[in-house]
Amino acid sequence: MDVKLAFGKALRQIRKARGMTQEAFEPGVVRTYISALERGIHSPTLERIVELAALLNVSSAALLTLTAFYEQDSQDSASFLNELCEDVCNWI
């Protein structure tokens, strides 16, 4: 899956799981921008990813991890997370 579409899917899933509407991000982030992100039309900056994650009350790492999961079209979340943990453990 295209990374912009994967990010949009992750953003939408977390937003809905939190019971938030697209309007809930206003006034800091307008609904049309959230809609464009969720449809894969725009790519957020790193600063915007951190801001969106904070508004969703999740870590930016969680938002990007879910994005990577969708981008890779992963079906097995346990294998995906194990591989991610192995990669991270090699760096810290």
Side-chain angles (χ1 to χ4, degrees):
M1 174 181 289
D2 173 76
V3 69
K4 288 193 291 187
L5 291 173
F7 181 84
K9 185 174 181 178
L11 178 63
R12 182 181 309 113
Q13 181 175 347
I14 295 170
R15 177 181 61 77
K16 288 187 172 200
R18 296 283 192 233
M20 297 172 68
T21 64
Q22 291 178 340
E23 290 82 7
F25 293 89
E26 293 178 338
V29 184
V30 295
R31 183 202 59 79
T32 54
Y33 180 69
I34 297 297
S35 175
L37 287 174
E38 289 184 357
R39 290 181 288 135
I41 295 172
H42 291 301
S43 294
T45 63
L46 289 174
E47 291 84 3
R48 184 63 78 167
I49 290 170
V50 171
E51 178 185 3
L52 292 170
L55 292 169
L56 291 165
N57 198 31
V58 299
S59 69
S60 53
L63 178 55
L64 291 174
T65 298
L66 190 56
T67 298
F69 179 76
Y70 289 137
E71 187 210 0
Q72 293 180 15
D73 291 320
S74 298
Q75 300 298 316
D76 181 6
S77 59
S79 293
F80 173 82
L81 292 173
N82 283 334
E83 184 178 319
L84 178 66
C85 287
E86 286 176 16
D87 287 344
V88 172
C89 287
N90 287 329
W91 301 324
I92 57 174

